[in-house]
């Protein structure tokens, strides 16, 4: 039923309580909800400005002379797929790996960019994985030297939806310890955590997943990595706030915004 206007009204504009800043450290633990909004399909965080990487040359300039490690499930594998599709000079090197599993490798020799993806260790719901390729994220982090030209992004949540919360907590504790050790030996390393996201829940997916339980995983992840000097890409809010249908693997416009935020952490705006 249409709701007709009962008469004229007014809007009171209240001064901003939170000062907008280019300081991305505010993303660490602001605790604000919602963390941002969309305007013309561009994500606008509440507390800071992010750059828009609308041209492949902008991405190349940001990642020049850097080694980028992507660890986790298929939701961060999307970042690898987007970058290798969007940036022409970033050419995937065929390692003969299974399509969903990896590992994957892409190289831009001209600009000295190395991009790597590796799935996390078990539990994992991919169809077939060689045992030799089941590497734990914590072990991989222990093998990284780090430095100002090293970037690490981690997303671990989707495959834990059928396990007790204690299993997820133990896994995150190990990853957290490895992240702290990495930042201790190489403080200039950029570490980014991608949160969980809402998804479509059809008859099959509902048997092993739910947004309610994934929200519990996401809450644990945020608490686990707060206060240790890592950045957070709030994929939960970025999928929840968009008008497109919820998907485990969000559509390209949402992935693009996630990567804009990720790249803004790597190459922040100059103050």
């Amino acid at each position: 039923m249409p709701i007709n206007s009962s008469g004229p009204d007014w809007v009171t504009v209240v001064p901003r309580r939170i000062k907008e800043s280019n300081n991305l450290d505010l993303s660490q633990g602001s605790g604000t909800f919602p963390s941002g909004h969309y305007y013309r399909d561009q994500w606008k965080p509440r507390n800071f400005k992010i750059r828009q990487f609308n041209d492949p040359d902008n991405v190349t300039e940001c990642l020049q002379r850097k080694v980028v490690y992507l660890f986790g499930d298929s939701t961060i594998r999307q970042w690898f797929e987007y970058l290798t599709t969007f940036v022409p000079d970033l050419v995937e090197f065929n390692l003969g790996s299974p399509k969903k599993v990896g590992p994957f490798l892409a190289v831009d020799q001209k600009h000295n960019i190395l991009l790597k993806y590796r799935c996390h260790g078990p539990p994992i719901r991919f169809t077939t994985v060689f045992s030799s390729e089941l590497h734990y994220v914590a072990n991989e982090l222990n093998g990284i030297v780090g430095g100002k030209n090293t970037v690490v992004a981690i997303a671990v949540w989707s495959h834990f939806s059928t396990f007790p919360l204690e299993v997820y907590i133990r896994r995150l504790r190990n990853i957290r310890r490895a992240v702290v050790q990495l930042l201790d030996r190489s403080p200039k390393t950029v570490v980014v955590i991608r949160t969980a996201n809402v998804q479509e829940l059809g008859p099959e997916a509902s048997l092993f997943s739910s947004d309610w339980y994934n929200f519990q995983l996401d809450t644990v992840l945020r608490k686990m990595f707060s206060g240790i000097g890592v950045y957070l890409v709030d994929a939960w809010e970025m999928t929840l706030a968009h008008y497109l249908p919820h998907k485990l693997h969000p559509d390209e416009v949402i992935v693009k915004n996630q990567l804009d935020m990720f790249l803004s952490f790597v190459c922040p705006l100059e103050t």
Side-chain angles (χ1 to χ4, degrees):
M1 296 291 294
I3 301 175
N4 297 321
S5 172
S6 59
D9 208 335
W10 60 87
V11 175
T12 302
V13 179
V14 180
R16 291 180 60 88
R17 293 182 179 180
I18 302 174
K19 183 179 179 181
E20 191 176 65
S21 170
N22 294 337
N23 183 5
L24 298 182
D25 289 338
L26 291 175
S27 66
Q28 308 288 11
S30 60
T32 55
F33 177 84
S35 63
H37 66 276
Y38 282 102
Y39 179 71
R40 294 181 177 177
D41 276 342
Q42 293 183 355
W43 179 249
K44 306 289 185 181
R46 279 186 66 174
N47 298 338
F48 59 89
K49 297 178 181 178
I50 64 173
R51 297 175 58 185
Q52 299 296 322
F53 293 83
N54 298 322
D55 190 279
D57 291 339
N58 301 142
V59 179
T60 299
E61 181 183 359
C62 176
L63 297 180
Q64 190 167 6
R65 295 186 298 277
K66 287 182 171 55
V67 180
V68 183
Y69 298 90
L70 305 178
F71 297 117
D73 52 42
S74 57
T75 60
I76 205 166
R77 189 187 71 221
Q78 271 193 293
W79 290 14
F80 181 94
E81 294 167 350
Y82 179 91
L83 287 171
T84 53
T85 302
F86 184 66
V87 182
D89 291 335
L90 197 55
V91 180
E92 183 174 357
F93 189 81
N94 186 5
L95 299 176
S97 304
K99 182 179 180 180
K100 292 185 177 181
V101 180
F104 300 133
L105 174 70
V107 179
D108 181 348
Q109 291 184 332
K110 181 179 178 181
H111 301 97
N112 199 16
I113 302 172
L114 181 61
L115 177 66
K116 297 182 177 183
Y117 164 79
R118 179 176 286 279
C119 67
H120 61 73
I124 205 161
R125 287 197 296 263
F126 293 136
T127 51
T128 302
V129 187
F130 291 111
S131 58
S132 60
E133 298 298 344
L134 291 175
H135 296 202
Y136 289 100
V137 174
N139 293 340
E140 292 295 308
L141 292 173
N142 289 335
I144 296 175
V145 176
K148 65 179 182 179
N149 290 324
T150 301
V151 183
V152 177
I154 303 169
V156 177
W157 64 275
S158 177
H159 296 261
F160 287 81
S161 62
T162 50
F163 290 85
L165 201 58
E166 292 76 10
V167 176
Y168 188 60
I169 292 173
R170 285 198 296 268
R171 179 62 54 83
L172 290 189
R173 287 181 63 186
N174 290 329
I175 296 175
R176 183 186 189 276
R177 185 184 301 112
V179 168
V180 170
Q181 292 172 349
L182 171 61
L183 293 176
D184 281 345
R185 63 179 178 266
S186 302
K188 293 185 178 180
T189 305
V190 176
V191 179
V192 180
I193 307 296
R194 183 202 186 276
T195 72
N197 60 262
V198 292
Q199 59 178 299
E200 77 283 6
L201 294 170
E204 182 180 353
S206 298
L207 296 175
F208 55 82
S209 187
S210 79
D211 284 344
W212 179 87
Y213 189 73
N214 289 335
F215 183 75
Q216 315 308 313
L217 300 179
D218 190 59
T219 302
V220 169
L221 180 141
R222 292 168 189 263
K223 291 291 186 182
M224 188 70 71
F225 288 100
S226 64
I228 63 171
V230 303
Y231 297 103
L232 194 74
V233 172
D234 197 341
W236 187 276
E237 293 259 342
M238 296 172 83
T239 50
L240 187 65
H242 205 275
Y243 59 82
L244 287 173
H246 297 166
K247 292 182 180 180
L248 175 61
H249 303 114
D251 287 334
E252 184 176 302
V253 62
I254 300 177
V255 176
K256 192 265 183 189
N257 279 283
Q258 292 174 4
L259 279 162
D260 282 347
M261 179 171 271
F262 166 69
L263 293 169
S264 294
F265 295 144
V266 180
C267 306
L269 287 167
E270 296 181 1
T271 57

